[in-house]
Amino acid sequence: MTSHHWLLAWLGLELNTLSILPITMKLHHPRATEATMKYFLVQALAASLILFAGTLNAWQTGLWTITNPGPTTTAIITMAVLMKLGAAPTHLWYPDVLQGTTLNTALLVSTWQKLAPLALLYMMTNPPTKLLLLTGLLSALLGGWAGLNQTQTRKIMAHSSIAHMGWMLVALTMNPQLTTLTLMTYMIMTAAMFSTLNTSTTKTISDMGTAWSTSPTIMTLTLLTLTSLGGLPPLTGFMPKLLILNELTMKPLLPLATTLALASLPSLFFYIRMAYTTTLTTPPNTTNTEHKWRFKPPLAPTPTPMMTLALLLMPMTPILYTTT
């Protein structure tokens, strides 16, 4: 974020990628290994594109500065950054990586790992406006549509992140300060959601139905977090969406504003579905204990008369065998 030299920016991105790989692979599970490999390949490809674009820019202009790249360099770097961010159409790796890691690592990939690629887009003085608007709209649409069919909470949060990236890319073409506000609210809401999921260890929507008995207070706050992620007023998530739509309508981009507003409806649907199973339904097997039913230790079986007789006859078995 602090570099003004393409080579140093590339070096920082590579250090970032190599540092998070052991965290992702900590589980030593085949899914975690697969997720780590996917993440490494995508990030290495994007970093090589950035290095190629920086070298091309230095060859054409004689400068390594980030602020004034040429048009070809800008297009290549934008596509590489979109790949790093997991924005559509280069988003297919993102849900699989989040599904293969722990909830804490998924939180790290969804929030902190977005800062460095976005900083590169911030520092470019003339980003490709049409490309960013098109990919932003595509991310918002695909993030909502693809999330409708998911039952795993990490994949739902991944598609939610893709949709929010679309809103951020659209905001970046008009107002960088508004993009910062959107990013901050997204990071706070995502951190709150992942923290709740990690506390109650809910990995599927069916798990959320049995999480109410763990802590009703946390589940009520989860309801508010989910509706805020969906962008319902008067919660915080409504504010950046309203400001972005206001900016789009102030410019001659009314069709884009209408499509973006409609694209948030599928996302809102799966947020409300999660909120409904979390708070507004009572699971069939409720417990009054602090822990959920699947955390209770197995009880020892009650001895029956036949089991008692078998235990009594066990020492006599060798004697009976030798007699016969």
Side-chain angles (χ1 to χ4, degrees):
M1 291 174 68
T2 57
S3 60
H4 295 279
H5 194 283
W6 276 122
L7 203 57
L8 291 176
W10 170 81
L11 184 63
L13 288 172
E14 283 296 289
L15 281 174
N16 186 311
T17 303
L18 292 174
S19 301
I20 201 172
L21 290 180
I23 302 174
T24 315
M25 208 165 38
K26 192 181 68 171
L27 283 178
H28 299 295
H29 191 275
R31 284 183 185 171
T33 311
E34 181 187 349
T36 308
M37 187 58 66
K38 286 179 180 177
Y39 186 78
F40 170 71
L41 290 174
V42 170
Q43 299 294 319
L45 176 60
S48 62
L49 280 175
I50 289 174
L51 183 62
F52 168 69
T55 312
L56 184 67
N57 184 59
W59 179 49
Q60 288 176 342
T61 62
L63 299 172
W64 282 94
T65 53
I66 295 178
T67 48
N68 293 312
T72 311
T73 308
T74 306
I76 296 173
I77 284 174
T78 305
M79 289 308 298
V81 168
L82 293 178
M83 191 183 297
K84 274 187 169 293
L85 287 173
T90 56
H91 68 287
L92 293 174
W93 63 272
Y94 192 60
D96 290 337
V97 168
L98 256 63
Q99 181 61 29
T101 59
T102 60
L103 285 164
N104 285 330
T105 312
L107 167 63
L108 197 62
V109 173
S110 299
T111 53
W112 181 258
Q113 295 297 104
K114 307 286 187 188
L115 295 180
L118 276 172
L120 291 181
L121 286 181
Y122 270 98
M123 285 187 282
M124 288 195 293
T125 51
N126 50 350
T129 307
K130 290 182 180 178
L131 179 62
L132 287 178
L133 287 175
L134 180 63
T135 52
L137 179 61
L138 198 61
S139 297
L141 285 169
L142 287 178
W145 281 342
L148 290 174
N149 200 29
Q150 304 299 329
T151 56
Q152 303 283 331
T153 51
R154 280 170 291 187
K155 285 197 172 184
I156 289 175
M157 292 306 295
H159 289 100
S160 156
S161 177
I162 292 166
H164 278 92
M165 278 300 120
W167 285 87
M168 272 181 244
L169 293 173
V170 170
L172 190 61
T173 60
M174 301 175 295
N175 193 341
Q177 288 81 17
L178 181 54
T179 313
T180 309
L181 176 68
T182 312
L183 178 64
M184 292 303 296
T185 52
Y186 157 75
M187 287 178 67
I188 291 169
M189 291 185 297
T190 308
M193 192 63 217
F194 270 112
S195 303
T196 307
L197 294 175
N198 191 36
T199 305
S200 54
T201 61
T202 47
K203 295 184 174 64
T204 61
I205 292 184
S206 58
D207 286 348
M208 299 187 85
T210 59
W212 174 260
S213 56
T214 307
S215 175
T217 311
I218 290 181
M219 290 301 114
T220 309
L221 293 175
T222 308
L223 169 68
L224 292 175
T225 309
L226 284 166
T227 46
S228 181
L229 275 168
L232 286 181
L235 298 166
T236 315
F238 177 65
M239 173 183 58
K241 291 188 175 182
L242 176 66
L243 293 173
I244 291 170
L245 291 176
N246 182 39
E247 288 278 344
L248 286 171
T249 48
M250 295 293 285
K251 294 177 169 53
L253 292 170
L254 198 57
L256 179 64
T258 309
T259 318
L260 260 182
L262 291 175
S264 65
L265 292 177
S267 302
L268 181 62
F269 173 76
F270 62 72
Y271 290 133
I272 294 298
R273 184 175 60 185
M274 287 174 72
Y276 179 73
T277 55
T278 303
T279 315
L280 303 175
T281 56
T282 306
N285 296 321
T286 54
T287 56
N288 295 323
T289 58
E290 184 182 356
H291 302 289
K292 284 184 284 189
W293 59 270
R294 63 176 185 277
F295 287 150
K296 291 172 70 176
L299 299 174
T302 307
T304 60
M306 290 299 295
M307 290 172 62
T308 311
L309 182 61
L311 289 171
L312 290 173
L313 288 175
M314 277 177 67
M316 299 175 60
T317 307
I319 303 170
L320 293 172
Y321 181 72
T322 53
T323 309
T324 54

